[in-house]
Amino acid sequence: AQSVAQPEDQVNVAEGNPLTVKCTYSVSGNPYLFWYVQYPNRGLQFLLKYITGDNLVKGSYGFEAEFNKSQTSFHLKKPSALVSDSALYFCAVRDINTGGFKTIFGAGTRLFVKA
Amino acid sequence: DVKVTQSSRYLVKRTGEKVFLECVQDMDHENMFWYRQDPGLGLRLIYFSYDVKMKEKGDIPEGYSVSREKKERFSLILESASTNQTSMYLCASSPLGDQRHEQYFGPGTRLTVT
């Protein structure tokens, strides 16, 4: 069965410092991996995705994520955090061998960036 | 600019009422989804539809039904609302046949059942 784990409920970081939001996954086949962000009282917005190819993917707002197949991880990173990055972040996985309709979301990690 | 809209941002209903949540997308997407979002649980799939009049149960369909009479519109129905259905409801859409594609989400409806 597919699953996604975001081991940290909350991540605190100072503005200007690098940030990492962790995600690990479990699928029976090859994964498609996604990161979404949710600002207060808003729907989810797509940040980036890994489909195939280069393990380092770049997305919106300066975010990037590294796909690590051996560790089954897809951690979200940003070299220099902004206060405006404070939001709820969701990792999601889709197992391409099971028809692809279903996306499994992690529980979410709340990021606080302090000025 | 692509758009998914939901009929209400906030809704307060009484236990036992029938509740309709509407979602409309303007991207001509075949796939549409209803999720509920609860703290610590992430997003859980209630129902999805890959075509007009087609529907598939997600992980937590109990107490809900859906309707898709037109391609752009996907409705979630709570037949008899209960307090444990108090939650944030998110609608999403994506194109059919492209598993690589991300989903587009509406702004959400925060439903409170009293």
Side-chain angles (χ1 to χ4, degrees):
Chain A
Q2 303 173 74
S3 65
V4 177
Q6 294 182 242
E8 302 152 317
D9 292 335
Q10 185 170 310
V11 170
N12 298 311
V13 64
E15 188 174 36
N17 283 359
L19 71 87
T20 299
V21 182
K22 294 180 182 177
C23 172
T24 58
Y25 66 90
S26 174
V27 296
S28 56
N30 292 317
Y32 291 152
L33 294 156
F34 303 81
W35 276 102
Y36 292 86
V37 60
Q38 185 179 37
Y39 298 102
N41 299 314
R42 304 279 292 276
L44 273 66
Q45 294 178 33
F46 168 72
L47 271 182
L48 50 79
K49 63 185 174 185
Y50 172 80
I51 302 302
T52 188
D54 198 348
N55 289 343
L56 184 65
V57 293
K58 295 185 183 295
S60 306
Y61 313 122
F63 283 93
E64 58 189 29
E66 186 165 12
F67 171 62
N68 187 319
K69 188 171 184 178
S70 62
Q71 297 187 6
T72 61
S73 67
F74 190 55
H75 301 331
L76 181 70
K77 301 184 180 190
K78 187 172 181 181
S80 179
L82 299 172
V83 171
S84 58
D85 293 330
S86 298
L88 187 57
Y89 291 81
F90 290 97
C91 181
V93 66
R94 192 178 292 161
D95 186 342
I96 65 174
N97 295 330
T98 61
F101 282 127
K102 214 169 156 189
T103 304
I104 302 298
F105 288 82
T109 298
R110 192 166 293 281
L111 174 67
F112 286 102
V113 182
K114 190 173 180 182
Chain B
D1 197 16
V2 297
K3 232 175 186 172
V4 179
T5 56
Q6 296 182 229
S7 50
S8 305
R9 294 299 303 273
Y10 300 94
L11 211 51
V12 180
K13 295 292 182 180
R14 293 190 181 276
T15 301
E17 278 193 86
K18 191 168 187 175
V19 182
F20 293 87
L21 303 182
E22 304 284 340
C23 175
V24 177
Q25 50 96 4
D26 66 359
M27 295 164 281
D28 203 35
H29 285 167
E30 291 80 7
N31 294 334
M32 295 188 76
F33 308 82
W34 274 107
Y35 295 91
R36 64 176 281 175
Q37 179 184 358
D38 299 288
L41 297 177
L43 275 69
R44 293 178 291 167
L45 182 64
I46 304 172
Y47 268 96
F48 66 96
S49 169
Y50 53 88
D51 201 354
V52 175
K53 296 193 185 295
M54 304 302 289
K55 61 184 179 185
E56 295 283 343
K57 292 181 179 179
D59 297 317
I60 51 164
E62 296 78 19
Y64 303 95
S65 62
V66 291
S67 173
R68 185 126 181 240
E69 296 296 319
K70 293 185 177 181
K71 188 176 185 180
E72 67 271 18
R73 188 179 297 269
F74 191 36
S75 302
L76 179 69
I77 303 154
L78 286 66
E79 297 290 342
S80 177
S82 64
T83 54
N84 62 13
Q85 292 179 309
T86 291
S87 186
M88 170 72 98
Y89 290 87
L90 294 170
C91 175
S93 73
S94 68
L96 180 69
D98 189 353
Q99 301 173 28
R100 301 164 298 175
H101 214 289
E102 63 273 20
Q103 295 179 25
Y104 295 89
F105 284 85
T109 296
R110 188 167 293 281
L111 172 67
T112 302
V113 182
T114 61

Short mmCIF file of all heavy atoms in Angstrom, two decimals, chain A residues 27-78:
data_model
loop_
_atom_site.label_atom_id
_atom_site.label_comp_id
_atom_site.label_asym_id
_atom_site.label_seq_id
_atom_site.Cartn_x
_atom_site.Cartn_y
_atom_site.Cartn_z
N VAL A 27 5.90 2.99 -1.81
CA VAL A 27 5.03 2.55 -2.91
C VAL A 27 5.56 1.21 -3.42
O VAL A 27 6.73 0.89 -3.23
CB VAL A 27 5.00 3.55 -4.09
CG1 VAL A 27 4.40 4.87 -3.66
CG2 VAL A 27 6.38 3.75 -4.67
N SER A 28 4.70 0.47 -4.08
CA SER A 28 5.12 -0.84 -4.58
C SER A 28 5.90 -0.73 -5.88
O SER A 28 6.72 -1.57 -6.20
CB SER A 28 3.91 -1.75 -4.78
OG SER A 28 2.99 -1.12 -5.67
N GLY A 29 5.63 0.34 -6.63
CA GLY A 29 6.31 0.52 -7.91
C GLY A 29 7.10 1.81 -7.93
O GLY A 29 7.65 2.23 -6.91
N ASN A 30 7.14 2.44 -9.08
CA ASN A 30 7.86 3.71 -9.21
C ASN A 30 6.94 4.87 -8.85
O ASN A 30 5.78 4.89 -9.22
CB ASN A 30 8.37 3.89 -10.64
CG ASN A 30 9.46 2.87 -10.96
OD1 ASN A 30 10.33 2.64 -10.15
ND2 ASN A 30 9.38 2.27 -12.13
N PRO A 31 7.47 5.86 -8.13
CA PRO A 31 6.61 6.94 -7.66
C PRO A 31 6.68 8.20 -8.52
O PRO A 31 7.70 8.49 -9.15
CB PRO A 31 7.22 7.26 -6.29
CG PRO A 31 8.69 7.04 -6.51
CD PRO A 31 8.80 5.91 -7.51
N TYR A 32 5.58 8.90 -8.54
CA TYR A 32 5.59 10.30 -8.88
C TYR A 32 5.41 11.04 -7.54
O TYR A 32 4.56 10.69 -6.75
CB TYR A 32 4.44 10.68 -9.81
CG TYR A 32 4.54 10.14 -11.21
CD1 TYR A 32 3.40 9.88 -11.96
CD2 TYR A 32 5.77 9.89 -11.81
CE1 TYR A 32 3.47 9.39 -13.26
CE2 TYR A 32 5.86 9.40 -13.10
CZ TYR A 32 4.71 9.15 -13.81
OH TYR A 32 4.79 8.67 -15.10
N LEU A 33 6.23 12.06 -7.31
CA LEU A 33 6.25 12.74 -6.02
C LEU A 33 5.97 14.22 -6.21
O LEU A 33 6.45 14.83 -7.17
CB LEU A 33 7.62 12.54 -5.35
CG LEU A 33 7.92 11.09 -4.96
CD1 LEU A 33 9.41 10.85 -4.87
CD2 LEU A 33 7.24 10.76 -3.63
N PHE A 34 5.24 14.79 -5.26
CA PHE A 34 4.79 16.18 -5.36
C PHE A 34 4.96 16.87 -4.01
O PHE A 34 4.85 16.24 -2.96
CB PHE A 34 3.30 16.24 -5.75
CG PHE A 34 2.96 15.53 -7.02
CD1 PHE A 34 2.76 14.15 -7.05
CD2 PHE A 34 2.80 16.24 -8.20
CE1 PHE A 34 2.44 13.49 -8.23
CE2 PHE A 34 2.47 15.60 -9.39
CZ PHE A 34 2.30 14.22 -9.40
N TRP A 35 5.17 18.17 -4.07
CA TRP A 35 5.06 19.04 -2.91
C TRP A 35 4.04 20.13 -3.21
O TRP A 35 4.06 20.73 -4.30
CB TRP A 35 6.39 19.70 -2.55
CG TRP A 35 7.30 18.86 -1.71
CD1 TRP A 35 8.39 18.15 -2.10
CD2 TRP A 35 7.19 18.67 -0.29
NE1 TRP A 35 8.95 17.51 -1.03
CE2 TRP A 35 8.25 17.82 0.10
CE3 TRP A 35 6.32 19.13 0.69
CZ2 TRP A 35 8.46 17.41 1.41
CZ3 TRP A 35 6.52 18.74 2.00
CH2 TRP A 35 7.57 17.89 2.36
N TYR A 36 3.18 20.36 -2.20
CA TYR A 36 2.20 21.43 -2.27
C TYR A 36 2.36 22.31 -1.03
O TYR A 36 2.79 21.85 0.02
CB TYR A 36 0.77 20.87 -2.28
CG TYR A 36 0.38 20.11 -3.53
CD1 TYR A 36 0.67 18.76 -3.65
CD2 TYR A 36 -0.31 20.74 -4.55
CE1 TYR A 36 0.30 18.05 -4.79
CE2 TYR A 36 -0.70 20.04 -5.69
CZ TYR A 36 -0.39 18.69 -5.80
OH TYR A 36 -0.76 18.00 -6.92
N VAL A 37 1.93 23.56 -1.16
CA VAL A 37 1.95 24.49 -0.04
C VAL A 37 0.55 25.06 0.17
O VAL A 37 -0.20 25.26 -0.80
CB VAL A 37 2.97 25.63 -0.27
CG1 VAL A 37 2.63 26.45 -1.51
CG2 VAL A 37 3.06 26.54 0.95
N GLN A 38 0.21 25.27 1.44
CA GLN A 38 -1.10 25.86 1.77
C GLN A 38 -0.89 27.06 2.67
O GLN A 38 -0.41 26.92 3.80
CB GLN A 38 -1.99 24.83 2.46
CG GLN A 38 -3.41 25.32 2.71
CD GLN A 38 -4.26 24.27 3.38
OE1 GLN A 38 -3.79 23.51 4.22
NE2 GLN A 38 -5.55 24.20 3.00
N TYR A 39 -1.25 28.23 2.17
CA TYR A 39 -1.22 29.44 2.98
C TYR A 39 -2.53 29.53 3.75
O TYR A 39 -3.53 28.91 3.37
CB TYR A 39 -0.98 30.66 2.11
CG TYR A 39 0.36 30.60 1.41
CD1 TYR A 39 0.46 30.23 0.07
CD2 TYR A 39 1.54 30.85 2.10
CE1 TYR A 39 1.68 30.13 -0.56
CE2 TYR A 39 2.77 30.76 1.49
CZ TYR A 39 2.83 30.39 0.15
OH TYR A 39 4.05 30.28 -0.46
N PRO A 40 -2.57 30.30 4.84
CA PRO A 40 -3.76 30.34 5.70
C PRO A 40 -5.05 30.60 4.92
O PRO A 40 -5.11 31.50 4.08
CB PRO A 40 -3.44 31.48 6.68
CG PRO A 40 -1.95 31.48 6.75
CD PRO A 40 -1.47 31.13 5.38
N ASN A 41 -6.04 29.77 5.20
CA ASN A 41 -7.39 29.92 4.61
C ASN A 41 -7.38 29.85 3.09
O ASN A 41 -8.19 30.50 2.43
CB ASN A 41 -8.04 31.22 5.07
CG ASN A 41 -8.21 31.26 6.58
OD1 ASN A 41 -8.66 30.29 7.18
ND2 ASN A 41 -7.80 32.35 7.19
N ARG A 42 -6.46 29.09 2.54
CA ARG A 42 -6.38 28.94 1.09
C ARG A 42 -6.34 27.45 0.74
O ARG A 42 -6.08 26.59 1.57
CB ARG A 42 -5.09 29.60 0.57
CG ARG A 42 -4.91 31.05 0.94
CD ARG A 42 -5.70 31.95 0.02
NE ARG A 42 -5.18 31.96 -1.32
CZ ARG A 42 -4.18 32.72 -1.75
NH1 ARG A 42 -3.56 33.53 -0.91
NH2 ARG A 42 -3.79 32.66 -3.00
N GLY A 43 -6.57 27.16 -0.55
CA GLY A 43 -6.38 25.80 -1.02
C GLY A 43 -4.91 25.50 -1.20
O GLY A 43 -4.04 26.32 -0.90
N LEU A 44 -4.61 24.29 -1.66
CA LEU A 44 -3.22 23.89 -1.88
C LEU A 44 -2.72 24.44 -3.21
O LEU A 44 -3.44 24.46 -4.21
CB LEU A 44 -3.09 22.37 -1.89
CG LEU A 44 -2.90 21.68 -0.55
CD1 LEU A 44 -4.14 21.83 0.33
CD2 LEU A 44 -2.56 20.21 -0.75
N GLN A 45 -1.46 24.84 -3.20
CA GLN A 45 -0.80 25.28 -4.44
C GLN A 45 0.35 24.34 -4.73
O GLN A 45 1.11 23.98 -3.84
CB GLN A 45 -0.24 26.69 -4.28
CG GLN A 45 -1.26 27.77 -4.10
CD GLN A 45 -0.56 29.12 -3.91
OE1 GLN A 45 0.50 29.37 -4.47
NE2 GLN A 45 -1.16 29.97 -3.11
N PHE A 46 0.50 23.98 -5.98
CA PHE A 46 1.58 23.11 -6.42
C PHE A 46 2.92 23.83 -6.33
O PHE A 46 3.04 25.00 -6.75
CB PHE A 46 1.30 22.66 -7.85
CG PHE A 46 2.44 21.99 -8.55
CD1 PHE A 46 2.82 20.71 -8.19
CD2 PHE A 46 3.14 22.65 -9.54
CE1 PHE A 46 3.87 20.10 -8.83
CE2 PHE A 46 4.18 22.04 -10.19
CZ PHE A 46 4.56 20.76 -9.84
N LEU A 47 3.94 23.15 -5.79
CA LEU A 47 5.30 23.71 -5.71
C LEU A 47 6.24 23.07 -6.73
O LEU A 47 6.94 23.77 -7.46
CB LEU A 47 5.89 23.48 -4.32
CG LEU A 47 5.65 24.53 -3.24
CD1 LEU A 47 6.37 24.11 -1.96
CD2 LEU A 47 6.14 25.91 -3.68
N LEU A 48 6.32 21.74 -6.70
CA LEU A 48 7.23 21.04 -7.60
C LEU A 48 6.89 19.56 -7.62
O LEU A 48 6.12 19.08 -6.79
CB LEU A 48 8.69 21.25 -7.17
CG LEU A 48 9.07 21.00 -5.72
CD1 LEU A 48 9.23 19.53 -5.41
CD2 LEU A 48 10.38 21.72 -5.37
N LYS A 49 7.51 18.85 -8.57
CA LYS A 49 7.26 17.41 -8.68
C LYS A 49 8.49 16.70 -9.23
O LYS A 49 9.29 17.30 -9.97
CB LYS A 49 6.05 17.14 -9.57
CG LYS A 49 6.22 17.60 -11.02
CD LYS A 49 4.91 17.40 -11.80
CE LYS A 49 5.03 17.98 -13.21
NZ LYS A 49 3.73 17.91 -13.95
N TYR A 50 8.61 15.44 -8.86
CA TYR A 50 9.59 14.54 -9.45
C TYR A 50 8.84 13.50 -10.27
O TYR A 50 7.97 12.79 -9.75
CB TYR A 50 10.44 13.83 -8.40
CG TYR A 50 11.31 12.77 -9.02
CD1 TYR A 50 12.50 13.12 -9.67
CD2 TYR A 50 10.93 11.43 -9.03
CE1 TYR A 50 13.28 12.17 -10.28
CE2 TYR A 50 11.70 10.48 -9.63
CZ TYR A 50 12.87 10.84 -10.26
OH TYR A 50 13.63 9.90 -10.89
N ILE A 51 9.22 13.42 -11.54
CA ILE A 51 8.62 12.41 -12.42
C ILE A 51 9.67 11.40 -12.84
O ILE A 51 9.53 10.20 -12.65
CB ILE A 51 7.96 13.07 -13.64
CG1 ILE A 51 6.90 14.09 -13.20
CG2 ILE A 51 7.35 12.01 -14.56
CD1 ILE A 51 5.79 13.51 -12.34
N THR A 52 10.74 11.89 -13.41
CA THR A 52 11.83 11.04 -13.85
C THR A 52 13.03 11.93 -14.11
O THR A 52 12.92 13.16 -14.13
CB THR A 52 11.45 10.25 -15.11
OG1 THR A 52 12.48 9.30 -15.39
CG2 THR A 52 11.27 11.17 -16.31
N GLY A 53 14.21 11.32 -14.30
CA GLY A 53 15.38 12.11 -14.68
C GLY A 53 16.17 12.61 -13.50
O GLY A 53 16.38 11.89 -12.52
N ASP A 54 16.58 13.86 -13.57
CA ASP A 54 17.45 14.46 -12.56
C ASP A 54 16.81 14.37 -11.18
O ASP A 54 15.65 14.74 -11.00
CB ASP A 54 17.69 15.92 -12.93
CG ASP A 54 18.89 16.50 -12.21
OD1 ASP A 54 19.39 15.85 -11.27
OD2 ASP A 54 19.31 17.61 -12.60
N ASN A 55 17.60 13.91 -10.21
CA ASN A 55 17.06 13.72 -8.87
C ASN A 55 16.77 15.02 -8.15
O ASN A 55 15.99 15.06 -7.20
CB ASN A 55 18.02 12.88 -8.02
CG ASN A 55 18.04 11.43 -8.47
OD1 ASN A 55 17.16 10.97 -9.18
ND2 ASN A 55 19.07 10.71 -8.07
N LEU A 56 17.40 16.10 -8.56
CA LEU A 56 17.16 17.41 -7.96
C LEU A 56 16.19 18.18 -8.84
O LEU A 56 16.46 18.46 -10.00
CB LEU A 56 18.46 18.18 -7.82
CG LEU A 56 18.37 19.53 -7.10
CD1 LEU A 56 17.96 19.34 -5.65
CD2 LEU A 56 19.70 20.27 -7.20
N VAL A 57 15.04 18.50 -8.27
CA VAL A 57 14.04 19.24 -9.04
C VAL A 57 13.85 20.62 -8.42
O VAL A 57 13.90 20.78 -7.20
CB VAL A 57 12.69 18.50 -9.10
CG1 VAL A 57 12.83 17.23 -9.90
CG2 VAL A 57 12.16 18.18 -7.72
N LYS A 58 13.65 21.60 -9.28
CA LYS A 58 13.45 22.97 -8.82
C LYS A 58 12.01 23.37 -9.08
O LYS A 58 11.40 22.96 -10.06
CB LYS A 58 14.42 23.90 -9.53
CG LYS A 58 15.87 23.62 -9.18
CD LYS A 58 16.81 24.63 -9.80
CE LYS A 58 18.27 24.30 -9.50
NZ LYS A 58 18.59 24.40 -8.06
N GLY A 59 11.49 24.20 -8.16
CA GLY A 59 10.09 24.58 -8.28
C GLY A 59 9.89 26.06 -8.04
O GLY A 59 10.79 26.88 -8.19
N SER A 60 8.66 26.38 -7.63
CA SER A 60 8.27 27.77 -7.43
C SER A 60 8.91 28.35 -6.17
O SER A 60 9.27 27.62 -5.25
CB SER A 60 6.75 27.86 -7.31
OG SER A 60 6.10 27.25 -8.39
N TYR A 61 9.03 29.69 -6.16
CA TYR A 61 9.45 30.46 -4.98
C TYR A 61 10.83 30.06 -4.46
O TYR A 61 11.12 30.21 -3.27
CB TYR A 61 8.42 30.34 -3.84
CG TYR A 61 7.00 30.54 -4.28
CD1 TYR A 61 6.04 29.56 -4.09
CD2 TYR A 61 6.58 31.72 -4.91
CE1 TYR A 61 4.73 29.73 -4.50
CE2 TYR A 61 5.27 31.89 -5.33
CZ TYR A 61 4.36 30.89 -5.12
OH TYR A 61 3.05 31.06 -5.52
N GLY A 62 11.70 29.52 -5.31
CA GLY A 62 13.06 29.17 -4.91
C GLY A 62 13.19 27.83 -4.21
O GLY A 62 14.27 27.49 -3.71
N PHE A 63 12.10 27.04 -4.14
CA PHE A 63 12.17 25.73 -3.50
C PHE A 63 12.75 24.69 -4.45
O PHE A 63 12.62 24.78 -5.66
CB PHE A 63 10.77 25.29 -3.05
CG PHE A 63 10.30 25.97 -1.80
CD1 PHE A 63 9.54 27.12 -1.87
CD2 PHE A 63 10.61 25.46 -0.55
CE1 PHE A 63 9.10 27.75 -0.72
CE2 PHE A 63 10.18 26.08 0.61
CZ PHE A 63 9.43 27.24 0.52
N GLU A 64 13.37 23.68 -3.85
CA GLU A 64 13.86 22.53 -4.58
C GLU A 64 13.68 21.29 -3.73
O GLU A 64 13.45 21.38 -2.52
CB GLU A 64 15.32 22.71 -4.99
CG GLU A 64 16.25 22.95 -3.83
CD GLU A 64 17.65 23.35 -4.30
OE1 GLU A 64 17.80 23.96 -5.38
OE2 GLU A 64 18.61 23.03 -3.56
N ALA A 65 13.75 20.13 -4.36
CA ALA A 65 13.61 18.87 -3.62
C ALA A 65 14.49 17.84 -4.27
O ALA A 65 14.71 17.84 -5.49
CB ALA A 65 12.16 18.41 -3.61
N GLU A 66 15.01 16.93 -3.45
CA GLU A 66 15.89 15.89 -3.94
C GLU A 66 15.25 14.53 -3.76
O GLU A 66 14.88 14.13 -2.66
CB GLU A 66 17.23 15.93 -3.21
CG GLU A 66 18.23 14.94 -3.80
CD GLU A 66 19.66 15.21 -3.35
OE1 GLU A 66 19.83 16.01 -2.41
OE2 GLU A 66 20.58 14.64 -3.96
N PHE A 67 15.12 13.82 -4.87
CA PHE A 67 14.59 12.46 -4.87
C PHE A 67 15.73 11.50 -4.55
O PHE A 67 16.77 11.50 -5.22
CB PHE A 67 14.00 12.12 -6.24
CG PHE A 67 13.63 10.68 -6.42
CD1 PHE A 67 12.67 10.09 -5.60
CD2 PHE A 67 14.23 9.91 -7.40
CE1 PHE A 67 12.32 8.76 -5.77
CE2 PHE A 67 13.89 8.57 -7.58
CZ PHE A 67 12.93 7.99 -6.76
N ASN A 68 15.56 10.68 -3.51
CA ASN A 68 16.57 9.70 -3.12
C ASN A 68 15.89 8.33 -3.09
O ASN A 68 15.16 8.01 -2.16
CB ASN A 68 17.17 10.05 -1.76
CG ASN A 68 18.34 9.16 -1.40
OD1 ASN A 68 18.30 7.95 -1.64
ND2 ASN A 68 19.38 9.75 -0.84
N LYS A 69 16.15 7.55 -4.12
CA LYS A 69 15.43 6.28 -4.26
C LYS A 69 15.83 5.28 -3.18
O LYS A 69 14.99 4.56 -2.65
CB LYS A 69 15.70 5.68 -5.65
CG LYS A 69 14.85 4.47 -5.95
CD LYS A 69 14.97 4.04 -7.41
CE LYS A 69 14.03 2.88 -7.70
NZ LYS A 69 14.08 2.46 -9.11
N SER A 70 17.10 5.25 -2.84
CA SER A 70 17.57 4.26 -1.86
C SER A 70 17.01 4.55 -0.47
O SER A 70 16.73 3.62 0.31
CB SER A 70 19.09 4.23 -1.81
OG SER A 70 19.60 5.47 -1.40
N GLN A 71 16.82 5.82 -0.15
CA GLN A 71 16.26 6.20 1.14
C GLN A 71 14.76 6.46 1.06
O GLN A 71 14.15 6.81 2.08
CB GLN A 71 16.98 7.43 1.69
CG GLN A 71 18.45 7.19 1.96
CD GLN A 71 19.12 8.36 2.65
OE1 GLN A 71 18.48 9.33 3.04
NE2 GLN A 71 20.44 8.29 2.78
N THR A 72 14.19 6.29 -0.09
CA THR A 72 12.76 6.58 -0.35
C THR A 72 12.35 7.90 0.27
O THR A 72 11.38 7.99 1.04
CB THR A 72 11.83 5.43 0.12
OG1 THR A 72 11.96 5.25 1.54
CG2 THR A 72 12.15 4.14 -0.59
N SER A 73 13.12 8.93 -0.06
CA SER A 73 12.85 10.25 0.50
C SER A 73 12.72 11.29 -0.60
O SER A 73 13.21 11.10 -1.73
CB SER A 73 13.95 10.67 1.47
OG SER A 73 15.17 10.86 0.79
N PHE A 74 12.06 12.37 -0.26
CA PHE A 74 11.87 13.48 -1.19
C PHE A 74 11.76 14.75 -0.35
O PHE A 74 10.72 15.37 -0.22
CB PHE A 74 10.59 13.25 -2.02
CG PHE A 74 10.41 14.21 -3.17
CD1 PHE A 74 11.37 14.38 -4.14
CD2 PHE A 74 9.20 14.92 -3.31
CE1 PHE A 74 11.19 15.24 -5.21
CE2 PHE A 74 9.00 15.78 -4.38
CZ PHE A 74 9.99 15.94 -5.32
N HIS A 75 12.88 15.17 0.23
CA HIS A 75 12.90 16.31 1.15
C HIS A 75 12.85 17.62 0.39
O HIS A 75 13.53 17.80 -0.63
CB HIS A 75 14.16 16.28 2.02
CG HIS A 75 14.30 15.04 2.84
ND1 HIS A 75 13.22 14.30 3.30
CD2 HIS A 75 15.41 14.39 3.29
CE1 HIS A 75 13.64 13.27 3.99
NE2 HIS A 75 14.97 13.28 3.99
N LEU A 76 12.07 18.55 0.92
CA LEU A 76 11.93 19.89 0.35
C LEU A 76 12.97 20.81 0.97
O LEU A 76 13.16 20.79 2.20
CB LEU A 76 10.52 20.42 0.63
CG LEU A 76 10.17 21.79 0.07
CD1 LEU A 76 10.04 21.75 -1.44
CD2 LEU A 76 8.86 22.30 0.70
N LYS A 77 13.60 21.64 0.15
CA LYS A 77 14.67 22.51 0.66
C LYS A 77 14.58 23.89 0.04
O LYS A 77 14.02 24.08 -1.04
CB LYS A 77 16.04 21.91 0.33
CG LYS A 77 16.25 20.53 0.91
CD LYS A 77 17.65 19.99 0.67
CE LYS A 77 17.78 18.61 1.27
NZ LYS A 77 19.16 18.12 1.30
N LYS A 78 15.18 24.84 0.78
CA LYS A 78 15.33 26.19 0.25
C LYS A 78 16.58 26.77 0.89
O LYS A 78 16.77 26.67 2.11
CB LYS A 78 14.11 27.05 0.57
CG LYS A 78 14.15 28.41 -0.11
CD LYS A 78 12.84 29.17 0.08
CE LYS A 78 12.89 30.51 -0.64
NZ LYS A 78 11.65 31.29 -0.47
#
